[in-house]
Amino acid sequence: MRLRALLDTDALGLRLLGGEDELDRAVRGVMTTDLRDPSRYLSGGELVLTGLAWRRDSADSEPFVRILVQAGVAALAAGEAELGDVPDDLALACAKHRLPLFAVHESVAFATITEHVVRQVSGERAGDLAAVVDRHRRMMTSGPAGGGPDVVLDLLGSDLDLRAWVLSPTGRMIAGSKEAGPALPAEACARLAAEHLAATRTGRRGPHRVLLGGSTYSLFPIRSSGRAPQAARDVRETVLSDWLLAVEADAGDWPGERLDLLQGVTQLIAVERDRRDAARTVRRRLAQEVLELVQTGAAPAEIAARLRVAAPVLLPGLGAAPHWQVVVARVEWAGEDVEGGPVAQSLLEEVLVDPLATGPEPSDRIAVAHTGDEAIALVPLPAVAAEHDGSETGLLADSLLQAVREPLSAGLNDDGRLTLGVSAAVHSAEGLRGALEEARHARRVAAARSGRVCAAGHQELASHVLLLPFVPDDVRRAFTARLLDPLTDYDRRHRAELIPTLEAFLDCDGSWTRCATRLHLHVNTLRYRVGRIEQLTGRDLSRLEDKLDFFLALRMS
């Protein structure tokens, strides 16, 4: 705001004593002081309010005014409550240094002037920022990215003094303003993401306010700019993929204009998110093509040719053919009215990024496809990193979900579940089919465990699936006969289809509802069949050990 505007507000009780030619100076803040030397608290552009307690005699005015001028203040306003009229020596000193001087009527509190100036300055700065943001939005939506989220966050820091960060749903820091200072600790990011997901699942509208480490954060959802809020049938379709904007401030008492501005900022950042998603299209298509070739039993040479096409896209600049790992994930919701495949795909793309990495770029080396409720990731390992077939440097199931377990559990709430399986590294196209099966088996092991977020790796299958080819035939036959012959005989005599029921039950990870739906049975009929299986074999299909035994017997039969 301009000094001239202060005189036009009668409620401020200001009277101009000198500096009429300087009334077009901009006021960027306000400060009240009675210090003889307040310079260390001044940054320039302030309206300084003083009760003149610093003045002992006329000789004090000149040094005081000189200090203010050197600090670059916009003007001085002296109160008349203590001394009555403003001393002439102060007016002369201000005139000498061309510093505008106001007298404040004794009936007007300094707090009234301060509140007015702060409100006006903040509103104007917000308006200026809104214009910048709008211009930046038009530039970004009509052409290449104009610097990404960091540019917008820098505007928040420089124009509104707001420290802000963009976080993924797992708590990974995607962007942060230079004004924000040091990056938020990983633990704080995970906690903020968890609080945001929990609030979103309860249906509360943002921004969500969180007290963390003595600071208040306001969390704003960042949704796809191409999707209307009502377009999603269920919040569970997007809750595990939306970014969030964390602002270190309490938005509870913000005026509507500032809230609207922050909503505009989230829409601008959403443009970058959509741009990132569009860039993943090629990698998703590569993964889908490789997956289809593997699952349809295509010749290894054909799969290898497709991998040679994928390698430069996923590992730009590296000439050596990489090793590969396969990761399988499934997101399941109670009620089964939400398609889990796209959710698992989006989530797996995020989970596989190093949690210590910043920005969206690290995800450029991950290809994830989805089929049905399952997402499958093809993860390349540079040849140097896979010298030991990935056993030392590849993805490890134990650590993969460690950093993201808290936020994901909050997002899954009490009606969702994420299970994940990781294969060993393979070095050729011939090994991909086995790696895919291995990852799927590992995921089933994870599904047999308790908890909302579970993972299992190939190491946990080493004593079972990986060793099956080395089991003597007579041992395999005896093991299979002991478990499956009673069921086969019963099926032959009664046409009860216990074997197909067992296969479907294990494939559905013990889910009564999904298995009954797959077999087109009533749940009670399914329970009767499973009870008959347990009765004939003496096993308990609620126990992990017995599930694994049945799984191995079916695989070896």
Side-chain angles (χ1 to χ4, degrees):
M1 65 178 301
R2 304 292 176 181
L3 288 175
R4 192 180 304 280
L6 295 174
L7 290 174
D8 295 335
T9 307
D10 295 337
L12 298 184
L14 294 178
R15 181 164 49 90
L16 184 64
L17 300 181
E20 185 175 357
D21 295 338
E22 305 292 334
L23 291 181
D24 286 328
R25 289 188 182 186
V27 179
R28 294 195 293 270
V30 62
M31 177 191 176
T32 299
T33 184
D34 277 315
L35 296 175
R36 297 172 66 86
D37 182 1
S39 58
R40 62 180 177 273
Y41 303 111
L42 297 170
S43 58
E46 294 92 349
L47 170 66
V48 175
L49 306 175
T50 181
L52 301 176
W54 50 266
R55 181 181 178 278
R56 296 187 180 91
D57 55 46
S58 60
D60 292 333
S61 294
E62 164 69 21
F64 181 78
V65 172
R66 185 171 61 252
I67 289 172
L68 298 185
V69 171
Q70 291 173 349
V73 303
L76 174 64
E80 297 178 326
E82 291 295 328
L83 302 180
D85 293 338
V86 176
D88 291 339
D89 49 90
L90 180 59
L92 291 173
C94 288
K96 174 182 177 181
H97 292 282
R98 301 182 63 83
L99 179 66
L101 175 64
F102 297 93
V104 182
H105 194 273
E106 61 181 6
S107 63
V108 178
F110 282 175
T112 301
I113 300 175
T114 299
E115 182 180 355
H116 176 82
V117 171
V118 169
R119 186 186 306 114
Q120 293 297 316
V121 170
S122 296
E124 291 178 5
R125 291 168 71 184
D128 291 343
L129 178 57
V132 174
V133 168
D134 184 64
R135 183 170 64 253
H136 198 63
R137 179 189 293 113
R138 291 196 302 270
M139 178 179 67
M140 291 172 62
T141 54
S142 62
D150 302 87
V151 173
V152 186
L153 299 186
D154 286 341
L155 289 174
L156 288 178
S158 61
D159 286 51
L160 292 183
D161 299 323
L162 292 176
R163 287 159 40 92
W165 302 265
V166 176
L167 305 179
S168 77
T170 63
R172 181 173 63 89
M173 187 180 299
I174 293 171
S177 65
K178 296 175 183 176
E179 301 290 333
L184 282 175
E187 297 79 6
C189 291
R191 173 71 184 283
L192 291 175
E195 294 285 350
H196 172 73
L197 291 176
T200 302
R201 287 304 313 276
T202 60
R204 300 201 334 251
R205 296 184 61 185
H208 313 303
R209 287 174 289 162
V210 178
L211 181 62
L212 181 62
S215 298
T216 299
Y217 296 86
S218 297
L219 310 179
F220 297 80
I222 300 173
R223 299 188 175 93
S224 171
S225 62
R227 185 187 74 236
Q230 67 273 18
R233 298 186 302 273
D234 194 305
V235 68
R236 294 175 295 181
E237 295 180 3
T238 59
V239 67
L240 296 178
S241 60
D242 284 343
W243 289 355
L244 67 133
L245 174 66
V247 180
E248 190 178 10
D250 188 344
D253 57 356
W254 281 4
E257 294 81 1
R258 178 167 288 203
L259 287 173
D260 290 342
L261 172 62
L262 265 293
Q263 295 296 343
V265 169
T266 64
Q267 294 170 11
L268 183 55
I269 297 174
V271 173
E272 281 300 298
R273 179 197 158 197
D274 290 344
R275 201 182 303 278
R276 179 211 61 170
D277 289 343
R280 286 181 171 177
T281 302
V282 174
R283 299 190 297 278
R284 288 175 171 176
R285 185 181 301 118
L286 286 173
Q288 195 72 45
E289 291 174 355
V290 173
L291 175 62
E292 290 175 358
L293 291 174
V294 170
Q295 293 192 123
T296 56
E302 187 178 358
I303 300 175
R306 178 55 56 189
L307 287 177
R308 284 194 293 272
V309 173
V313 176
L314 300 176
L315 291 173
L318 297 180
H323 290 51
W324 304 90
Q325 274 184 286
V326 175
V327 181
V328 173
R330 179 172 290 194
V331 173
E332 297 172 290
W333 303 101
E336 302 181 11
D337 55 348
V338 178
E339 188 179 1
V343 179
Q345 180 184 43
S346 183
L347 184 57
L348 193 52
E349 286 173 332
E350 176 59 37
V351 167
L352 291 176
V353 177
D354 183 347
L356 298 180
T358 58
E361 291 77 13
S363 63
D364 290 349
R365 297 185 176 186
I366 298 167
V368 184
H370 79 82
T371 173
D373 288 335
E374 188 179 63
I376 302 170
L378 189 64
V379 182
L381 299 174
V384 173
E387 292 177 352
H388 303 290
D389 289 339
S391 59
E392 298 296 330
T393 57
L395 298 174
L396 299 176
D398 291 340
S399 58
L400 197 56
L401 296 179
Q402 183 176 355
V404 300
R405 193 176 303 276
E406 180 185 2
L408 290 184
S409 296
L412 293 165
N413 201 1
D414 58 357
D415 61 347
R417 194 155 189 252
L418 167 67
T419 52
L420 186 146
V422 183
S423 78
V426 296
H427 56 81
S428 66
E430 290 87 344
L432 275 182
R433 184 174 180 82
L436 175 59
E437 289 301 316
E438 189 174 81
R440 281 174 167 161
H441 296 328
R443 193 205 63 78
R444 292 191 182 99
V445 171
R449 298 169 175 165
S450 60
R452 289 288 166 197
V453 181
C454 298
H458 63 91
Q459 302 90 340
E460 298 171 69
L461 303 178
S463 62
H464 299 92
V465 176
L466 296 185
L467 295 182
L468 287 182
F470 303 99
V471 177
D473 288 343
D474 57 337
V475 175
R476 293 160 63 102
R477 284 193 297 271
F479 181 81
T480 302
R482 186 169 64 253
L483 275 178
L484 300 185
D485 279 1
L487 306 181
T488 303
D489 292 341
Y490 191 90
D491 282 347
R492 186 172 56 253
R493 287 184 285 110
H494 300 282
R495 297 182 180 180
E497 297 187 335
L498 295 185
I499 291 292
T501 299
L502 176 62
E503 291 176 332
F505 187 76
L506 294 176
D507 193 51
C508 291
D509 303 322
S511 169
W512 297 99
T513 306
R514 284 199 298 115
C515 185
T517 301
R518 176 179 294 190
L519 296 175
H520 305 289
L521 297 174
H522 192 278
V523 173
N524 289 340
T525 303
L526 175 62
R527 292 185 184 277
Y528 173 82
R529 288 187 183 182
V530 170
R532 179 63 69 182
I533 292 171
E534 294 175 334
Q535 182 183 17
L536 292 171
T537 61
R539 299 300 185 103
D540 183 357
L541 276 169
S542 67
R543 298 178 67 246
L544 173 60
E545 294 83 352
D546 290 342
K547 285 181 180 178
L548 285 176
D549 283 345
F550 277 122
F551 166 75
L552 294 171
L554 289 169
R555 184 174 175 83
M556 290 188 292
S557 63

